[in-house]
Amino acid sequence: MVDEPAEQARRALVALANACPAGDETAGRGSIPLDWFRWLPLPAVNLLAPTAGVSFEPGQSALEAAMAAHVRAQLEFPVERHFGEGLAAVDHLRLSRTPLQIGWLFVAGTMTVGGRSRKVFWPLVTRPVAISVPPLVGPAVVVPAGDMQLTARIEDPGQRIALEHHIEWGGGAFETQPVAAPVPLLERLPRLYSFAGDAAKAAGFDAVDLVPGGGDPGELQRHDGLVIVAGVAIFASDETGGLSQAASLRSWAAQPLTRWTAFHSLYTDDTREHDGPPSTEKAESPFLLTPVQRAAVEQSRRAAVTVIKGAPGTGKSHTVTAIACDALARGESVLVAAKSEATVDALLELFERAPGPRPVVFGSNERKNELAEHLAGGLQPS
């Protein structure tokens, strides 16, 4: 009995998920995204430390009001306005509920997984945050947007509970410190050393040495072996411990899969073409096309899958761009994916020369930053 296309697609997705490197699973992720990473002065650790919820109420004494004001000041932290506007734009772009995080105690360096060396840069303690940008002038402000939590890499419930009750924030030693604490100061904090080493070990990291924050994350990742960086930083990511490629494929496989996609034409017996009669309109393109390129554009209107191949410099990128522009001209939406940032940038240069909507880019760090700044400039205060 031949499987239905939906079941064939499911089997193909599971096979692809199983083919993903084991180290790519959530538990094996070694580094957070560093696109928007920035160290903060050490007093920002107060954003993570649990603080008694003191609120101002009419009739409070002067002491109680002062305590409430102190607590509120601890639960927000100013950042440079331009950077905050970029983070706010990234917050709007990301699909997860809490894309912005603040982290404390980062394991950094290299480790061996399955016989292969892997770069590591991972926070042991995190808290979701949000960005508040004043309407006209003044710095942006980082505020908590969720609960503080230990890294999801610590899976043992008993270890999590024990560590959560003994998280160390420096005991007030960082209240007036810059981004990097002096080494002599860290050496006088044995409880911080102990907690950091225990949490790193529970998370599967063989690291005990504590070093000051403030270093370039890329350089820290190249450290021979692992260290724990005593620093506070803000970064943008999908939720800490977000879906890996394998998990994403398995999540897709769990869907009904009865609606046709191009994936079905590639991996199943369902090789249908687009519905409707063949189009007789000429291909719409902002570029001069050869007869073969024009035929490829016209074929893409109906064929489920169109393969463009050729030697370097034969016009493959122009053809792909022409196909996308033709689809946009007919009111369709287009997703363009590539395996390298260089290819993404080459296609974007062509799209930017063509009339039409500004592409939304995920993948090229430089282009993402440009888009975030563009959106930040267009955001209106609520």
PDB file of all heavy atoms in Angstrom, residues 332-348:
ATOM      1  N   GLU A 332       1.593  38.051  -5.271  1.00  0.00           N
ATOM      2  CA  GLU A 332       1.989  36.957  -4.404  1.00  0.00           C
ATOM      3  C   GLU A 332       3.065  37.426  -3.428  1.00  0.00           C
ATOM      4  O   GLU A 332       3.676  38.477  -3.613  1.00  0.00           O
ATOM      5  CB  GLU A 332       2.516  35.775  -5.235  1.00  0.00           C
ATOM      6  CG  GLU A 332       1.472  35.181  -6.176  1.00  0.00           C
ATOM      7  CD  GLU A 332       2.012  33.971  -6.941  1.00  0.00           C
ATOM      8  OE1 GLU A 332       3.181  33.601  -6.698  1.00  0.00           O
ATOM      9  OE2 GLU A 332       1.272  33.418  -7.775  1.00  0.00           O
ATOM     10  N   SER A 333       3.288  36.640  -2.361  1.00  0.00           N
ATOM     11  CA  SER A 333       4.372  36.921  -1.422  1.00  0.00           C
ATOM     12  C   SER A 333       5.515  35.955  -1.711  1.00  0.00           C
ATOM     13  O   SER A 333       5.307  34.860  -2.227  1.00  0.00           O
ATOM     14  CB  SER A 333       3.898  36.768   0.021  1.00  0.00           C
ATOM     15  OG  SER A 333       3.412  35.467   0.252  1.00  0.00           O
ATOM     16  N   VAL A 334       6.720  36.359  -1.355  1.00  0.00           N
ATOM     17  CA  VAL A 334       7.906  35.582  -1.724  1.00  0.00           C
ATOM     18  C   VAL A 334       8.825  35.437  -0.520  1.00  0.00           C
ATOM     19  O   VAL A 334       9.088  36.412   0.194  1.00  0.00           O
ATOM     20  CB  VAL A 334       8.685  36.265  -2.878  1.00  0.00           C
ATOM     21  CG1 VAL A 334       9.932  35.450  -3.227  1.00  0.00           C
ATOM     22  CG2 VAL A 334       7.800  36.432  -4.107  1.00  0.00           C
ATOM     23  N   LEU A 335       9.301  34.229  -0.295  1.00  0.00           N
ATOM     24  CA  LEU A 335      10.353  33.957   0.684  1.00  0.00           C
ATOM     25  C   LEU A 335      11.581  33.486  -0.077  1.00  0.00           C
ATOM     26  O   LEU A 335      11.507  32.523  -0.842  1.00  0.00           O
ATOM     27  CB  LEU A 335       9.914  32.883   1.675  1.00  0.00           C
ATOM     28  CG  LEU A 335      11.026  32.324   2.589  1.00  0.00           C
ATOM     29  CD1 LEU A 335      11.524  33.404   3.541  1.00  0.00           C
ATOM     30  CD2 LEU A 335      10.530  31.104   3.365  1.00  0.00           C
ATOM     31  N   VAL A 336      12.697  34.177   0.090  1.00  0.00           N
ATOM     32  CA  VAL A 336      13.953  33.798  -0.546  1.00  0.00           C
ATOM     33  C   VAL A 336      14.908  33.350   0.548  1.00  0.00           C
ATOM     34  O   VAL A 336      15.169  34.091   1.494  1.00  0.00           O
ATOM     35  CB  VAL A 336      14.566  34.967  -1.340  1.00  0.00           C
ATOM     36  CG1 VAL A 336      15.884  34.546  -1.974  1.00  0.00           C
ATOM     37  CG2 VAL A 336      13.593  35.448  -2.416  1.00  0.00           C
ATOM     38  N   ALA A 337      15.437  32.139   0.430  1.00  0.00           N
ATOM     39  CA  ALA A 337      16.374  31.597   1.420  1.00  0.00           C
ATOM     40  C   ALA A 337      17.645  31.161   0.713  1.00  0.00           C
ATOM     41  O   ALA A 337      17.624  30.746  -0.442  1.00  0.00           O
ATOM     42  CB  ALA A 337      15.741  30.410   2.155  1.00  0.00           C
ATOM     43  N   ALA A 338      18.757  31.291   1.405  1.00  0.00           N
ATOM     44  CA  ALA A 338      20.048  30.874   0.861  1.00  0.00           C
ATOM     45  C   ALA A 338      20.894  30.331   1.989  1.00  0.00           C
ATOM     46  O   ALA A 338      20.652  30.615   3.163  1.00  0.00           O
ATOM     47  CB  ALA A 338      20.745  32.043   0.176  1.00  0.00           C
ATOM     48  N   LYS A 339      21.920  29.554   1.647  1.00  0.00           N
ATOM     49  CA  LYS A 339      22.734  28.908   2.674  1.00  0.00           C
ATOM     50  C   LYS A 339      23.887  29.763   3.160  1.00  0.00           C
ATOM     51  O   LYS A 339      24.576  29.375   4.098  1.00  0.00           O
ATOM     52  CB  LYS A 339      23.279  27.573   2.155  1.00  0.00           C
ATOM     53  CG  LYS A 339      24.270  27.698   1.005  1.00  0.00           C
ATOM     54  CD  LYS A 339      24.787  26.325   0.593  1.00  0.00           C
ATOM     55  CE  LYS A 339      25.819  26.419  -0.517  1.00  0.00           C
ATOM     56  NZ  LYS A 339      26.326  25.090  -0.896  1.00  0.00           N
ATOM     57  N   SER A 340      24.110  30.932   2.558  1.00  0.00           N
ATOM     58  CA  SER A 340      25.215  31.781   2.997  1.00  0.00           C
ATOM     59  C   SER A 340      24.788  33.242   2.966  1.00  0.00           C
ATOM     60  O   SER A 340      23.923  33.645   2.169  1.00  0.00           O
ATOM     61  CB  SER A 340      26.439  31.588   2.107  1.00  0.00           C
ATOM     62  OG  SER A 340      26.227  32.135   0.820  1.00  0.00           O
ATOM     63  N   GLU A 341      25.397  34.049   3.846  1.00  0.00           N
ATOM     64  CA  GLU A 341      25.097  35.472   3.883  1.00  0.00           C
ATOM     65  C   GLU A 341      25.551  36.150   2.599  1.00  0.00           C
ATOM     66  O   GLU A 341      24.941  37.131   2.151  1.00  0.00           O
ATOM     67  CB  GLU A 341      25.767  36.125   5.093  1.00  0.00           C
ATOM     68  CG  GLU A 341      25.110  35.784   6.412  1.00  0.00           C
ATOM     69  CD  GLU A 341      25.533  36.713   7.523  1.00  0.00           C
ATOM     70  OE1 GLU A 341      26.255  37.688   7.233  1.00  0.00           O
ATOM     71  OE2 GLU A 341      25.150  36.478   8.680  1.00  0.00           O
ATOM     72  N   ALA A 342      26.636  35.659   1.988  1.00  0.00           N
ATOM     73  CA  ALA A 342      27.125  36.258   0.747  1.00  0.00           C
ATOM     74  C   ALA A 342      26.069  36.162  -0.345  1.00  0.00           C
ATOM     75  O   ALA A 342      25.840  37.119  -1.104  1.00  0.00           O
ATOM     76  CB  ALA A 342      28.416  35.570   0.311  1.00  0.00           C
ATOM     77  N   THR A 343      25.390  35.013  -0.412  1.00  0.00           N
ATOM     78  CA  THR A 343      24.332  34.841  -1.414  1.00  0.00           C
ATOM     79  C   THR A 343      23.148  35.743  -1.098  1.00  0.00           C
ATOM     80  O   THR A 343      22.559  36.357  -2.002  1.00  0.00           O
ATOM     81  CB  THR A 343      23.878  33.369  -1.462  1.00  0.00           C
ATOM     82  OG1 THR A 343      25.014  32.538  -1.712  1.00  0.00           O
ATOM     83  CG2 THR A 343      22.850  33.158  -2.562  1.00  0.00           C
ATOM     84  N   VAL A 344      22.787  35.823   0.180  1.00  0.00           N
ATOM     85  CA  VAL A 344      21.689  36.710   0.585  1.00  0.00           C
ATOM     86  C   VAL A 344      22.000  38.150   0.183  1.00  0.00           C
ATOM     87  O   VAL A 344      21.166  38.861  -0.381  1.00  0.00           O
ATOM     88  CB  VAL A 344      21.441  36.614   2.104  1.00  0.00           C
ATOM     89  CG1 VAL A 344      20.459  37.685   2.561  1.00  0.00           C
ATOM     90  CG2 VAL A 344      20.906  35.236   2.468  1.00  0.00           C
ATOM     91  N   ASP A 345      23.220  38.600   0.465  1.00  0.00           N
ATOM     92  CA  ASP A 345      23.605  39.979   0.146  1.00  0.00           C
ATOM     93  C   ASP A 345      23.589  40.219  -1.361  1.00  0.00           C
ATOM     94  O   ASP A 345      23.176  41.290  -1.824  1.00  0.00           O
ATOM     95  CB  ASP A 345      24.990  40.286   0.711  1.00  0.00           C
ATOM     96  CG  ASP A 345      24.978  40.431   2.222  1.00  0.00           C
ATOM     97  OD1 ASP A 345      23.888  40.687   2.775  1.00  0.00           O
ATOM     98  OD2 ASP A 345      26.040  40.299   2.847  1.00  0.00           O
ATOM     99  N   ALA A 346      24.034  39.232  -2.147  1.00  0.00           N
ATOM    100  CA  ALA A 346      24.039  39.394  -3.606  1.00  0.00           C
ATOM    101  C   ALA A 346      22.616  39.540  -4.139  1.00  0.00           C
ATOM    102  O   ALA A 346      22.341  40.388  -5.007  1.00  0.00           O
ATOM    103  CB  ALA A 346      24.736  38.199  -4.262  1.00  0.00           C
ATOM    104  N   LEU A 347      21.700  38.726  -3.608  1.00  0.00           N
ATOM    105  CA  LEU A 347      20.300  38.823  -4.047  1.00  0.00           C
ATOM    106  C   LEU A 347      19.675  40.142  -3.590  1.00  0.00           C
ATOM    107  O   LEU A 347      18.906  40.769  -4.329  1.00  0.00           O
ATOM    108  CB  LEU A 347      19.500  37.642  -3.502  1.00  0.00           C
ATOM    109  CG  LEU A 347      19.834  36.275  -4.112  1.00  0.00           C
ATOM    110  CD1 LEU A 347      19.171  35.159  -3.320  1.00  0.00           C
ATOM    111  CD2 LEU A 347      19.396  36.209  -5.576  1.00  0.00           C
ATOM    112  N   LEU A 348      20.009  40.574  -2.373  1.00  0.00           N
ATOM    113  CA  LEU A 348      19.450  41.826  -1.867  1.00  0.00           C
ATOM    114  C   LEU A 348      19.880  43.017  -2.707  1.00  0.00           C
ATOM    115  O   LEU A 348      19.097  43.945  -2.936  1.00  0.00           O
ATOM    116  CB  LEU A 348      19.867  42.037  -0.409  1.00  0.00           C
ATOM    117  CG  LEU A 348      19.079  41.231   0.621  1.00  0.00           C
ATOM    118  CD1 LEU A 348      19.718  41.367   1.988  1.00  0.00           C
ATOM    119  CD2 LEU A 348      17.638  41.695   0.671  1.00  0.00           C
TER     120      LEU A 348
END
